[in-house]
Amino acid sequence: MEEFRRSYNRLCEESGAEPQEAVLQQLHQLPKGGLDLTTQSLTVETCRALGKLLHKETLLKELVLSDCMLSEEGSILLFQGLCANTSVQHLDLKGNNLRATGAEALGKLLRQNKSIQSLTLEWNNLGTWEDAFATFCGGLAANSALRQLDLRNNQISHKGAEELALALKGNTTLQQLDLRWNNIGLLGGRALVNCLPSNRTLWKLDLAGNNIPGDILRAVEQAMDHNQDRLTAFRENQARTKILSKEVQHLQEEKSKQFLDLMETIDKQREEMARDSRASAVRVGQLQEALNERQSIINALKAKLQMTEAALALSEQKVRDLGELLVAGDQERQSLSQRHEKERKLERQEAADRESKLLRDLSAANEKNLLLRSQVDELERKARSQQEQLFLTKQELTNTSAELKIRAIQAEERLDVEKRRAKQNMEDLEKLHSKEVDHMTRHLEESERAMQERVQRLEALRLSLEEELSRMKAAVLSERGQAEEELIKAKNQARLEEQHRLAHLEEKIRLLAQARDEAQGTCVQQKQMVAESQARVSQLNLQMEGQQRRLEELQQELSNKDQEKVAEVARVRVDLQEQMGRMQADLVAQEALREKVAALERQLKVIGSEHREALLDRESENASLREKLRLKEAEISRIRDEEAQRASFLQNAILAYVQGSPLRALSPPK
């Protein structure tokens, strides 16, 4: 708050005035959120500086200016600063003797300020200036933030009370009003009592020390009790609403948790299926790689076999070539045998050598051929073993595909179980909703019966009043027949008074009949509202049936699609994703239906609360009418006693006149 003190010094210096030491001390000792200047005589310059500071101050919550003897100009400057303030909630102006201009400034303050909740105006004589107090009451009627108002010892007359009554009719936030030790009187008390049925927020009204009759004070206490009961009922309804909202939120959280658990299980199943599919794909890949390796080995062996066959064909070609050379050599030998005997011997020796060499080559070629044949046999055995392994891998592939089909069937069965569970939850929700609707209809029927019984009691009361009126008429006629001729003027006067009373009573009876008609009208309106709520409930039931049919159609479509599904893993995944999307849409639809049901329940609660408020208002009106009837009965009995006394006095006078001597004895001496 040091900044507040420096701002006060700066404003005083700008205006050319000395800051007050007492105010500076209070600002130095200023507690957090409050400013107490009690019994400090504030000058106009100080009020101007404080008004400018309060115009922008946002930390000050409480301002106490009691017994400061504010001048008119100073109070206006302070109130102008408070008009735009948004932080001060408690304002104490006790004992400042505010005059007409101060009261008008207070009215403007109440009309513009939106933060002050408590206002103390004790010992200010505001009721002395009626026009200014009317302006103050106008500001109170337009205010929407004030909760507590203290107007003790303000010389408020019955006219000021009437202005306050008009302000209370328009005000919707004031809860406590203290009017003790004023001059309100009977008329002001009646005006306040008449305004209380229109005000439903005021639950404390102190009227001690105002010369108000006890019956009016009791009526005020009854109205305050009624408003306090309404306030407690409203708070209980708010608490119940909060509890219900928490329960609904808890149920939503549980449903979301269940849905998340379901999604987690489905995700886990998907992950397991994907893991199995990946494992099977890896196994198939490994088998395919092994098969490719075996195929490459077989291809290599085939290439080697082809190469050996080519080498064998080449050796056979060499053998044929050698045979041809032998034939040519024989021919040359035969032709040259005769010419070259020596060369023949040499050639024979060379031929023998060559033949032996060729024989050795032929035997080696035969051995190579046998070796290649054994290798071909071994390769054929290996090829047969590779075919057997390929057959085993095919069997393993069929087994894995069968396992995948079995897992897909298990997933479908789990999905069916989840569908049945969701359907069971829907049936439980429908049963609960039907039970709540039956309960609300029974409650409305009971309230309707109670209204009818109250209307019957009012009718019986009206009949009893009419009978009493007829008895009173008969009594008046009998008394009129027994009266003497000498009292014609008194009789005429009594007859006129009696006719006036009868007209007044007939007017009261007419008002009672009008109140009864209004009560019947409210009953009819309540019946119409009940019929409308029932129609809304039936519409909601039709909507729920449509949603159920839609759900059955969706289930039928799901079953048809389940029948049409193939055992392929990819298609199973797609179908599962589609079903999950539909289930989420159904859950969203269920949440929408729950919200609609909750909205209808809130509407029914609002209708019930309005109905209860109307019944309470009617009860208060009936109580006030019974009080008025009791007062009129007391007045009639008093008038009857006065008539009896008057008749006895006349009878005594007539007897004294007839007897003569007592009359002379009673006459004064001449």
Side-chain angles (χ1 to χ4, degrees), residues 88-121:
V88 176
Q89 297 179 357
H90 302 282
L91 179 59
D92 190 352
L93 296 171
K94 175 183 175 182
N96 282 288
N97 196 18
L98 298 176
R99 298 182 180 274
T101 54
E104 292 175 353
L106 273 175
K108 183 179 179 182
L109 171 64
L110 291 177
R111 193 180 296 274
Q112 295 181 4
N113 187 273
K114 304 296 181 184
S115 64
I116 296 176
Q117 298 181 2
S118 176
L119 180 58
T120 302
L121 296 172

Side-chain angles (χ1 to χ4, degrees), residues 408-418 420:
I409 292 168
Q410 290 177 357
E412 291 174 358
E413 289 177 355
R414 290 175 184 172
L415 184 61
D416 293 333
V417 169
E418 292 297 330
R420 288 194 293 272

Side-chain angles (χ1 to χ4, degrees), residues 269 272-273 276 402-418 565 572 576:
Q269 291 176 0
E272 290 178 357
M273 291 178 66
D276 294 336
E403 288 178 358
L404 288 174
K405 290 179 182 179
I406 291 169
R407 289 180 180 177
I409 292 168
Q410 290 177 357
E412 291 174 358
E413 289 177 355
R414 290 175 184 172
L415 184 61
D416 293 333
V417 169
E418 292 297 330
K565 278 195 304 182
V572 168
L576 284 172

Side-chain angles (χ1 to χ4, degrees), residues 202-342:
L202 188 66
W203 57 269
K204 184 177 181 182
L205 178 59
D206 292 329
L207 294 172
N210 281 282
N211 297 323
I212 298 175
D215 54 350
I216 294 176
L217 292 175
R218 285 192 295 272
V220 170
E221 290 177 357
Q222 186 178 4
M224 293 298 101
D225 294 337
H226 178 56
N227 286 343
Q228 196 165 8
D229 293 338
R230 184 186 289 113
L231 182 62
T232 54
F234 177 71
R235 290 175 179 172
E236 289 177 357
N237 288 329
Q238 282 185 340
R240 291 175 182 173
T241 305
K242 289 181 180 177
I243 292 170
L244 289 173
S245 63
K246 288 181 181 178
E247 290 179 355
V248 169
Q249 188 176 3
H250 181 64
L251 289 174
Q252 289 179 353
E253 290 177 355
E254 288 183 353
K255 291 294 181 183
S256 63
K257 287 180 181 178
Q258 292 177 0
F259 180 72
L260 291 174
D261 294 336
L262 178 62
M263 292 297 294
E264 287 178 357
T265 54
I266 292 171
D267 291 335
K268 287 179 180 178
Q269 291 176 0
R270 286 180 181 175
E271 290 177 357
E272 290 178 357
M273 291 178 66
R275 197 182 300 113
D276 294 336
S277 63
R278 286 195 296 272
S280 61
V282 170
R283 185 67 182 276
V284 170
Q286 291 176 356
L287 292 173
Q288 189 68 33
E289 289 177 357
L291 186 61
N292 292 329
E293 289 178 357
R294 299 291 174 86
Q295 190 69 31
S296 63
I297 292 169
I298 290 169
N299 292 329
L301 291 173
K302 285 181 180 180
K304 287 181 180 180
L305 182 59
Q306 289 177 359
M307 290 172 67
T308 54
E309 287 178 352
L312 183 59
L314 183 61
S315 63
E316 288 178 353
Q317 183 68 31
K318 287 181 179 180
V319 169
R320 285 193 296 271
D321 292 337
L322 289 172
E324 290 177 357
L325 290 171
L326 285 172
V327 172
D330 289 335
Q331 290 176 357
E332 288 178 357
R333 188 184 57 185
Q334 288 176 3
S335 62
L336 294 174
S337 61
Q338 295 176 1
R339 293 178 183 177
H340 304 286
E341 290 178 354
K342 292 180 180 179

Side-chain angles (χ1 to χ4, degrees), residues 473-487:
K473 287 181 181 179
V476 170
L477 290 172
S478 63
E479 287 176 0
R480 184 173 28 180
Q482 294 175 1
E484 296 292 333
E485 294 178 355
E486 296 176 357
L487 302 174

